[in-house]
Amino acid sequence: MPALAEVIAALEQAYPPELAESWDAVGLVCGDPAEHVDKVLFCVDPVDETVDEAIDGGAQLIVAHHPLLLRGVHGVPADSTKGRLVHRLIRAGVALYCAHTNADSASPGVSDALADAIGLTVLGPLDPREDGVTGIGRIGELPAPEPFSAFVERVANALPRTEPGVYGAGDPARLIRRVAVSGGSGDSYLKRATAAGVDAYVTADLRHHPAGEHLAEIAEVPALVGVTHWASEWPWCEQASGVVRTAFAGNVDVHVSTRCTDPWTLRATRTEH
């Protein structure tokens, strides 16, 4: 069995910490690098549900996309939400490692996994770094053009089910071939997607005003497909699990959490009388 430090080294080769944004908090949150690991759980969110899953399943490590302690922390008392999780993890001997914006920018990274799930051939980053290979988001192409209505259905069928579902903004008959995607909150890249000349842009957490202003542009702009934050990043878990599976030739048992940690659990529509 490899040591935790060896598993971290494999993850950081795939998702270099130096790719993380300056405000981010990536890396080992808790755990002893010298301890051995034979089972790892991959998830988007380090929350009660996934901690339960790791402990119940006998995992010694959780690899999460979202940081547990992103903002300044002065303590982790057990009577606080995040402190309680830290205490549970330590008591159970479960380490927590987070790969966030470094996994977003890596190649392959979060948006590559999203593009692959949708069936796109990746052409390059949406917002490239200086090397032209890494960066936020991806631009890709479908095998053949298809109506926007069919494309929205494609996205819905490619991602795990959530209560809010998948929604689109655009002409249902518009043909879609070239597509931009960005896992997580991506409306700050609307102008990038427009400049890239794509037919559609898939991302999460689209806000009313940025989306409305985008669609009101005089020039032709990409149609929009909105998904939940969790669903857009969940495909990355399988990609990251493959990193560990390959690095240790099957000597580490890897599992991808299928527990939906999307916060939205109910949906209602107005009943017309």
Side-chain angles (χ1 to χ4, degrees), residues 94-116:
V94 179
L96 172 62
Y97 180 87
C98 300
H100 192 211
T101 53
N102 52 324
D104 288 330
S105 283
S107 179
V110 171
S111 291
D112 293 278
L114 175 58
D116 184 63

Side-chain angles (χ1 to χ4, degrees), residues 69-271:
L69 307 173
L70 180 58
R71 294 178 175 82
V73 174
H74 301 288
V76 285
D79 61 353
S80 67
T81 301
K82 295 188 176 184
R84 183 183 71 250
L85 285 178
V86 172
H87 281 259
R88 288 189 64 203
L89 290 165
I90 292 173
R91 286 170 181 158
V94 179
L96 172 62
Y97 180 87
C98 300
H100 192 211
T101 53
N102 52 324
D104 288 330
S105 283
S107 179
V110 171
S111 291
D112 293 278
L114 175 58
D116 184 63
I118 294 171
L120 301 174
T121 298
V122 171
L123 304 175
L126 174 61
D127 185 23
R129 297 169 69 95
E130 289 182 2
D131 61 12
V133 176
T134 60
I136 299 296
R138 292 293 182 268
I139 297 170
E141 284 188 347
L142 292 169
E146 63 187 32
F148 183 55
S149 58
F151 180 70
V152 174
E153 291 290 336
R154 169 192 287 268
V155 175
N157 290 328
L159 299 181
R161 181 186 179 278
T162 59
E163 286 303 321
V166 174
Y167 45 93
D171 179 356
R174 178 178 179 176
L175 290 180
I176 305 298
R177 177 74 186 272
R178 190 176 174 93
V179 178
V181 301
S182 182
S185 304
D187 62 18
S188 60
Y189 297 100
L190 286 167
K191 290 190 182 300
R192 285 273 183 183
T194 300
V198 298
D199 304 310
Y201 179 38
V202 182
T203 192
D205 302 338
L206 285 167
R207 293 170 296 164
H208 177 86
H209 292 296
E213 290 167 5
H214 166 82
L215 295 168
E217 290 285 343
I218 296 174
E220 186 174 62
V221 297
L224 301 179
V225 181
V227 301
T228 70
H229 197 115
W230 172 80
S232 75
E233 294 175 332
W234 184 81
W236 169 80
C237 297
E238 181 59 40
Q239 179 196 97
S241 73
V243 170
V244 173
R245 187 184 300 113
T246 300
F248 300 101
N251 290 320
V252 176
D253 193 6
V254 297
H255 290 265
V256 171
S257 176
T258 57
R259 299 190 185 186
C260 179
T261 53
D262 192 88
W264 311 111
T265 57
L266 291 173
R267 181 182 180 183
T269 56
R270 179 187 172 102
T271 301

